Amino acid sequence: MNVRGKGIKIFAGNSLPGLASSIAKELGIQTGLCEVGKFADGECSVSIGESVRGMDCFIIQSTCAPVNDNLMELLIMADALHRASASRITAVIPYYGYARQDRKAKSRDPISAKLVADMISVSGIDRIMTMDLHAPQIQGFFNMPLDHLVGSPVLAKYFRDMVNEDRENFVCLSPDVGSVGRVRSFTHNLFDCPISIVDKRRQRANQCQVMNLIGDVKGKKVLIVDDVVDTAGTLCNAAEAAMQHGASEVYAAATHAVLSGPACDRIMASPIKEMVLLDSVPVPPEKMISKFKILSTADYIANAITCVHEDLPLSPMIDRMFVEATDDETAKAGQY
């Protein structure tokens, strides 16, 4: 395996040029010279405009829509850097597309998340950095080091004052059984407030029906925590269920704003008062609604890149962010 290079280079694909620039600014450098476009026949065109020999290169690229275009850009950029003698190539993939296809849900289904991992493994990439994988076991699909960041510290820092002012009347709600672990970790590490769970039945892909709500939300302020907002059906059904069970207010927080199809209209029509999202997936202007609040992950990812480059563990950095995101004196005394 390649070792870290003599300096950091940040390269941006077309999915997150703004985030890449912000990360480079946090690191005190400029983004690397790289043209990523298309040939006349639609094939991906990549041209690296500066020397990367012996450098520690980081490609900032979410594999969000258009998923296949962004994935091919990532692979071809990695191949170009590898052939240009970069010392080490890290793919920073804040949102990992195809992550929800992590198993065979029925006969003759593909496991696309594993296929994409195999493609990345042969492209010249040496390690992966990603955030809030839909299924944590996807980490095992890669035969290379993978740094799995969590969005909780960034989201929690935003909600800190709101929760601390009225902690006894705050409940974190898991929109489905699969997100219980994520919500439990969020509340345990940060606020230690009670949780509730929505029990849903999914009729078909991208459609679900709420069946029950486990836990007491009557008279409470509810914070729904999820990893991905796609068509927002699950999220909005959870918000409706919370209000039907007597919640006073509903807020929502998620890492990845995929926002497919009717998502924005559903959120606007829902009882959700505010929807807080991270910038792992760009929200185009036409989808930006008044309920959205977008938080930057540039400082977080820049710190993680520094740790990787300097061969430092990431856990202390993430734990430090957890402590900064809460006023809990126990945490400050060294609980983490």
Side-chain angles (χ1 to χ4, degrees):
M1 176 182 169
N2 291 351
V3 297
R4 68 185 173 101
K6 55 190 177 184
I8 295 175
K9 292 275 189 181
I10 301 293
F11 290 94
N14 285 322
S15 67
L16 294 170
L19 178 58
S21 296
S22 297
I23 291 170
K25 185 176 180 180
E26 291 286 344
L27 294 169
I29 59 177
Q30 299 290 323
T31 53
L33 298 178
C34 181
E35 292 185 10
V36 184
K38 289 185 178 180
F39 291 109
D41 62 356
E43 292 179 358
C44 181
S45 167
V46 172
S47 178
I48 307 297
E50 60 184 273
S51 174
V52 296
R53 186 177 296 275
M55 302 299 291
D56 205 356
C57 295
F58 294 81
I59 305 172
I60 314 298
Q61 179 82 329
S62 275
T63 52
C64 52
V67 180
N68 298 329
D69 287 350
N70 287 331
L71 176 59
M72 285 306 300
E73 283 183 12
L74 172 65
L75 299 176
I76 295 174
M77 289 175 71
D79 183 72
L81 293 171
H82 178 69
R83 295 178 186 277
S85 299
S87 178
R88 183 171 62 180
I89 302 168
T90 300
V92 181
I93 312 174
Y95 173 69
Y96 181 72
Y98 288 101
R100 285 171 287 178
Q101 299 184 48
D102 64 306
R103 66 196 185 282
K104 292 181 68 172
K106 61 181 187 297
S107 298
R108 295 174 295 280
D109 273 0
I111 304 180
S112 304
K114 176 64 168 78
L115 174 61
V116 171
D118 289 343
M119 294 167 64
I120 289 173
S121 298
V122 298
S123 66
I125 291 170
D126 297 298
R127 66 185 303 129
I128 302 291
M129 184 184 296
T130 188
M131 183 179 292
D132 278 343
L133 287 169
H134 184 68
Q137 62 266 27
I138 292 174
Q139 297 175 69
F141 290 178
F142 292 90
N143 295 318
M144 62 176 69
L146 186 148
D147 296 309
H148 189 207
L149 306 179
V150 292
S152 297
V154 183
L155 293 169
K157 189 174 183 179
Y158 179 81
F159 284 103
R160 175 186 59 195
D161 294 338
M162 182 188 304
V163 175
N164 284 343
E165 287 175 2
D166 199 15
R167 187 174 301 193
E168 293 182 357
N169 292 312
F170 228 96
V171 174
C172 281
L173 177 62
S174 173
D176 54 35
V177 175
S179 296
V180 171
R182 180 180 300 105
V183 176
R184 183 180 292 116
S185 177
F186 184 91
T187 59
H188 174 73
N189 286 328
L190 301 166
F191 305 122
D192 203 25
C193 59
I195 69 171
S196 291
I197 304 166
V198 171
D199 175 32
K200 71 177 182 181
R201 297 292 184 270
R202 187 176 296 278
Q203 307 300 318
R204 59 185 64 89
N206 297 123
Q207 293 187 21
C208 69
Q209 178 183 357
V210 171
M211 303 298 290
N212 196 11
L213 192 149
I214 304 166
D216 181 20
V217 299
K218 188 173 182 179
K220 307 287 187 179
K221 295 179 181 179
V222 172
L223 172 59
I224 304 172
V225 180
D226 209 352
D227 60 334
V228 179
V229 180
D230 189 357
T231 61
T234 296
L235 178 75
C236 293
N237 283 345
E240 292 285 354
M243 294 301 292
Q244 290 170 8
H245 284 74
S248 60
E249 294 178 340
V250 178
Y251 299 85
T255 303
H256 308 301
V258 176
L259 303 176
S260 303
C264 296
D265 291 337
R266 285 176 173 174
I267 293 170
M268 278 302 295
S270 76
I272 295 172
K273 189 171 182 179
E274 186 177 42
M275 177 87 219
V276 182
L277 302 161
L278 302 186
D279 58 353
S280 60
V281 177
V283 179
E286 63 270 18
K287 291 188 176 182
M288 192 67 191
I289 60 176
S290 58
K291 290 186 178 183
F292 286 167
K293 172 70 175 180
I294 311 296
L295 305 181
S296 174
T297 57
D299 178 61
Y300 186 14
I301 295 176
N303 287 335
I305 286 174
T306 299
C307 289
V308 169
H309 175 66
E310 297 180 357
D311 293 332
L312 299 174
L314 284 175
S315 298
M317 183 271 294
I318 296 174
D319 291 346
R320 187 167 60 251
M321 290 191 66
F322 275 131
V323 172
E324 292 172 354
T326 179
D327 289 331
D328 191 292
E329 294 301 323
T330 303
K332 290 180 179 180
Q335 176 179 346
Y336 301 104

